C-alpha cells in the first residue's frame, strides 16, 4: 500500500537528445543579470553586483515544441533566451574547478517572465515568484549530454532576431555560477540552472512563436495561443 494520501504528482522532467529516457528534474535555479548589456538595459551596473538567484517550481517546465496559453495576470509576457545547465552531481561549497564534473549536459531555455508583475514587485520590494515562477514559465529544449563550447545565443520572435550574444559574454561563467549557488544551497542531481539572459528581452503575444537558439544545441521553441 502507498504511504501517500493520493497519487503523487509526476516527476517533472526534460527531454534528452539521443535518449528516450528523460532527465528527472529536482529544482530550477535561475541567475539574474548575467550579461552586462542586459543589466544596463534595466538600469543596473553589471560591474558592482555579485550573481543573485531566484527559482521556479520544477513543474513550470515546458518542452520545446509546445503550444502554451498566454498566461493570466499579465499584459507583458516577455522572452529571456538562456543557456540551461543540467546537473548530474551536486554538493555544497563547490570549487569552480570542480563544477564541470557535475554537469550532465546543456539545453536552450526560455525564462518566460511577466514583466509587468516583475516591475511591480521591484517597485514594491516584493518577491519575484509570481513574475517568474508561474505555470509553464520554464521552456526547455532537449538536453545535450556532455560539455559545450562557446557559441552564439539568440532569441527570435516569429523568426526575427531580438536577442543575440555569445555565451562567453556572461559576467559569471557557468563554473562560477555553480560555485556561488552551492554556497547558498546544496545542489543535487536533477537540478537545472537557467544562467541568465542577454540584452534585447521583449514581449511575445498570442499567436507568436518564440525560438531560443544556442550553437550546438537543439532550439527551445514555444507558440502562444
Ligand atoms: Mn532570466
Amino acid at each position: 500500500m502507498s504511504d501517500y494520501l493520493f497519487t503523487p504528482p509526476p516527476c517533472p522532467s526534460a527531454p534528452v537528445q539521443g535518449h528516450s529516457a528523460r532527465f528527472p528534474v529536482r529544482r530550477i535555479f535561475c541567475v539574474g543579470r548575467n550579461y552586462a548589456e542586459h543589466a544596463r538595459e534595466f538600469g543596473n551596473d553589471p560591474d558592482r553586483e555579485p550573481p543573485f538567484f531566484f527559482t521556479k517550481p520544477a513543474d513550470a517546465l515546458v518542452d520545446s515544441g509546445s503550444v502554451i496559453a498566454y498566461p493570466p495576470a499579465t499584459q507583458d509576457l516577455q522572452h529571456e533566451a538562456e543557456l540551461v545547465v543540467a546537473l548530474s552531481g551536486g554538493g555544497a561549497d563547490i570549487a569552480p574547478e570542480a563544477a564541470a564534473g557535475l554537469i550532465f549536459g546543456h539545453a536552450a531555455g526560455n525564462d518566460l517572465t511577466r514583466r509587468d508583475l516583475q516591475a511591480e514587485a521591484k517597485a514594491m520590494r516584493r518577491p519575484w515568484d509570481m513574475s517568474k515562477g508561474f505555470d509553464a514559465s520554464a521552456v526547455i529544449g532537449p538536453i545535450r549530454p556532455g560539455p559545450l563550447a562557446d557559441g552564439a545565443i539568440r532569441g527570435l520572435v516569429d523568426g526575427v532576431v531580438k536577442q543575440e550574444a555569445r555565451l562567453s559574454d556572461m559576467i559569471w561563467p557557468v563554473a562560477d555560477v555553480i560555485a556561488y549557488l552551492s554556497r547558498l544551497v546544496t545542489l543535487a542531481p536533477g537540478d537545472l540552472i537557467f544562467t541568465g539572459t542577454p540584452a534585447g528581452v521583449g514581449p511575445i503575444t498570442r499567436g507568436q512563436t518564440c525560438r531560443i537558439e544556442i550553437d550546438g544545441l537543439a532550439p527551445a521553441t514555444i507558440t502562444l495561443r
Side-chain angles (χ1 to χ4, degrees):
M1 285 299 288
S2 165
D3 292 318
Y4 297 105
L5 286 170
F6 55 89
T7 306
C11 179
S13 64
V16 179
Q17 236 176 300
H19 290 261
S20 56
R22 293 173 64 89
F23 180 91
V25 174
R26 174 183 177 258
R27 290 182 177 175
I28 303 176
F29 300 98
C30 307
V31 185
R33 294 174 205 143
N34 202 17
Y35 291 80
E37 288 304 317
H38 174 62
R40 290 189 195 102
E41 79 182 338
F42 282 85
N44 301 292
D45 181 347
D47 300 322
R48 293 183 52 192
E49 289 185 350
F52 68 93
F53 301 91
F54 58 91
T55 61
K56 291 177 187 259
D59 68 359
L61 275 176
V62 182
D63 279 8
S64 178
S66 299
V67 177
I68 63 172
Y70 193 90
T74 185
Q75 308 296 326
D76 193 14
L77 180 71
Q78 296 202 356
H79 56 85
E80 296 195 355
E82 307 206 2
L83 172 68
V84 183
V85 177
L87 300 187
S88 52
D93 298 319
I94 296 160
E97 307 77 51
L102 307 176
I103 297 175
F104 169 76
H106 302 82
N110 194 343
D111 167 17
L112 291 175
T113 301
R114 295 195 281 210
R115 193 70 70 201
D116 42 3
L117 294 196
Q118 187 194 31
E120 185 181 283
K122 286 177 177 176
M124 307 281 284
R125 296 170 171 260
R126 287 176 181 164
W128 285 12
D129 301 49
M130 292 300 114
S131 63
K132 287 290 196 177
F134 53 96
D135 296 340
S137 60
V139 184
I140 190 164
I143 298 169
R144 200 200 71 192
L148 180 69
D150 185 29
I153 176 169
R154 288 178 216 89
L156 302 87
V157 178
D158 284 348
V160 178
V161 177
K162 303 288 188 181
Q163 297 184 266
E164 184 158 26
R166 304 285 298 176
L167 295 176
S168 53
D169 293 337
M170 282 187 204
I171 298 168
W172 305 99
V174 167
D176 289 354
V177 166
I178 291 172
Y180 264 101
L181 185 55
S182 74
R183 289 174 210 160
L184 296 166
V185 290
T186 300
L187 297 172
D191 287 345
L192 297 179
I193 307 172
F194 281 63
T195 56
T197 197
V201 298
I204 38 178
T205 57
R206 287 180 180 84
Q208 288 189 315
T209 294
C210 185
R211 177 182 168 96
I212 311 303
E213 298 179 348
I214 295 178
D215 289 348
L217 301 178
T221 303
I222 44 115
T223 299
L224 289 171
R225 63 173 160 78

